[in-house]
Amino acid sequence: MSETLDFAVVGGGIAGSSIAAELARYGRTALFEMERQAGYHTTGRSAAMFAPAYGPGPIRALTRASARFFSDPPDGFCETALLTARDTLLIARADQEAQFEALRRELSVDGDVTVLCAEALGRRYPLLSEGYAAMALLDCNGSDIDVAALHQGFLRSFAKEGGVTHLSAEVLSLRRDGSLWHLTTPAGEFTARTVVNAAGAWGEQLGRLAGAETVGLVPKRRTAMTIAAPDGFETSDYPLIVDVDERFYLKPQANGLLISPANEDPEPPCDVQPDEMDVALCIDRIERAFRLTVRRIESKWSGLRSFVADKCPVVGYSDGAPGFFWFVGQGGYGIQTSPAMARLGAKLVTGGSVPEDILGEGLRAEDLAPNRPALSA
């Protein structure tokens, strides 16, 4: 039996590593990852964008509150820039005008977006099929995120603060005895005053082990693949191009193109793999929208993005399991919100309140609480 921990963080992806790095400043903290490497699942399979206008209101607030960290990370956090500028182009066919107008109104609340007509699209983005898109929204406030550098930076910060990471350490049982949690793992038995559930797709399972309430967390499969770019096509300055109904997207990556059907198919927690129907749907949608013929898939993969009913994270102490803290449900927004989410989570874990800068962006703790009405409807 090791020394009692102040905080046991379960899950070594971007959520767990970021909050663990913050919590290590407050007390003895250990990170428990069931795989042989941290970030093996969703974090390691993400091609994330920093997009301040993307997502529900609480997500946009957390993204804005993360901007300073991404542009000016702490000394020694990483050796390369975390962000590389990349525009986002949201395209719509003529029959998608209603969805286009609704999105335009929504994005105009927090961001500065430009409306482009079909003629302008044809001149600026010749990769689009002629006549496919009737209108588009151009958002010039986005960036690619170096996910690996961000994740490793959090893990490095955690270690510098004295945190210990246990790999191949799936939590097999959780038992509350008085004021302490007892964790059984293949790496040994541990005790902790607080357990932080950052287990991603496995978050609901961990909650059941703790006897906590159900929050309705659903892992959903998202498939992506890479293809070669057309001969002579310069990818570096091309935007991320997304269908207004998010039925596909195309994003330059290295010297090729990353494409996805933007699917959200419920899956049990697992080491998810691409479904061949995902691949076929993606190719069909991409070939309709772009002047592309996909002859070969260079690589393909899937990841699980976990959501609750309102697509906002679940952050807060359980009502049914004392000392058990929910930190799940980041969905497709976990990487771009991670700096602010980690600070928020650490403050709430340690009995503090929402940091002033995050509060100033319009976020309230009750917006993310496990007992919020949206999760019990």
Side-chain angles (χ1 to χ4, degrees), residues 4-331:
T4 296
L5 299 164
D6 293 300
F7 313 108
V9 179
V10 182
I14 203 73
S17 62
S18 60
I19 195 171
E22 292 287 337
L23 287 172
R25 302 171 187 170
Y26 293 90
R28 293 181 298 278
T29 306
L31 186 64
F32 296 88
E33 166 56 51
M34 68 179 183
E35 303 292 353
R36 289 181 291 178
Q37 67 184 66
Y40 171 77
H41 290 284
T42 302
T43 297
R45 308 175 191 192
S46 176
M49 286 280 293
F50 182 80
Y54 183 47
I59 291 295
R60 298 198 300 271
L62 287 164
T63 303
R64 293 192 300 269
S66 297
R68 180 177 296 180
F69 183 99
F70 279 113
S71 61
D72 186 21
D75 289 343
F77 184 85
C78 54
E79 296 179 354
T80 60
L82 292 173
L83 299 182
T84 304
R86 173 87 59 198
D87 295 347
T88 300
L89 187 72
L90 298 134
I91 61 173
R93 302 183 307 271
D95 62 303
Q96 294 173 303
E97 184 174 3
Q99 300 95 303
F100 176 84
E101 284 301 319
L103 185 61
R104 182 188 62 79
R105 289 192 296 270
E106 181 182 352
L107 296 186
S108 295
V109 172
D110 292 326
D112 179 18
V113 293
T114 302
V115 177
L116 298 179
C117 65
E119 183 181 356
L121 285 171
R123 290 196 308 269
R124 296 177 64 168
Y125 307 107
L127 195 61
L128 284 168
S129 294
E130 184 177 359
Y132 180 86
M135 62 206 84
L137 293 171
L138 178 63
D139 180 0
C140 298
N141 299 305
S143 299
D144 291 333
I145 300 175
D146 189 331
V147 178
L150 180 68
H151 185 224
Q152 289 303 311
F154 284 131
L155 291 172
R156 191 180 304 112
S157 298
F158 175 57
K160 284 182 179 179
E161 293 291 342
V164 177
T165 298
H166 299 280
L167 300 176
S168 300
E170 179 183 1
V171 176
L172 303 173
S173 70
L174 270 176
R175 178 175 58 86
R176 182 80 171 177
D177 184 8
S179 62
L180 295 177
W181 283 101
H182 295 259
L183 296 81
T184 301
T185 82
E189 302 279 336
F190 300 86
T191 57
R193 294 181 175 84
T194 300
V195 172
V196 177
N197 180 3
W202 285 261
E204 200 80 88
Q205 289 186 4
L206 189 71
R208 286 196 292 270
L209 284 180
E213 63 273 84
T214 296
V215 297
L217 188 71
V218 179
K220 297 184 178 184
R221 184 182 73 249
R222 167 69 53 97
T223 297
M225 57 211 80
T226 57
I227 60 174
D231 291 341
F233 178 74
E234 176 54 53
T235 63
S236 60
D237 295 329
Y238 228 70
L240 164 69
I241 302 179
V242 187
D243 169 62
V244 72
D245 287 325
E246 205 168 343
R247 288 175 55 80
F248 63 82
Y249 64 78
L250 175 147
K251 177 178 181 287
Q253 180 164 297
N255 294 320
L257 298 170
L258 185 154
I259 58 175
S260 172
N263 55 314
E264 293 182 352
D265 300 303
E267 286 268 9
C270 64
D271 183 5
V272 67
Q273 300 300 316
D275 184 283
E276 288 308 312
M277 182 59 72
D278 295 347
V279 176
L281 282 172
C282 183
I283 292 173
D284 179 66
R285 293 170 185 176
I286 291 295
E287 289 187 338
R288 288 173 184 268
F290 299 93
R291 299 174 188 269
L292 290 170
T293 300
V294 179
R295 293 188 171 89
R296 180 172 180 269
I297 302 295
E298 303 284 342
S299 61
K300 58 184 177 180
W301 65 94
S302 288
L304 293 177
R305 304 153 81 244
S306 299
F307 298 91
V308 294
D310 61 5
K311 291 198 168 184
C312 291
V314 182
V315 182
Y317 276 107
S318 166
D319 285 340
F324 184 82
F325 190 89
W326 288 98
F327 198 69
V328 298
Q330 290 88 340

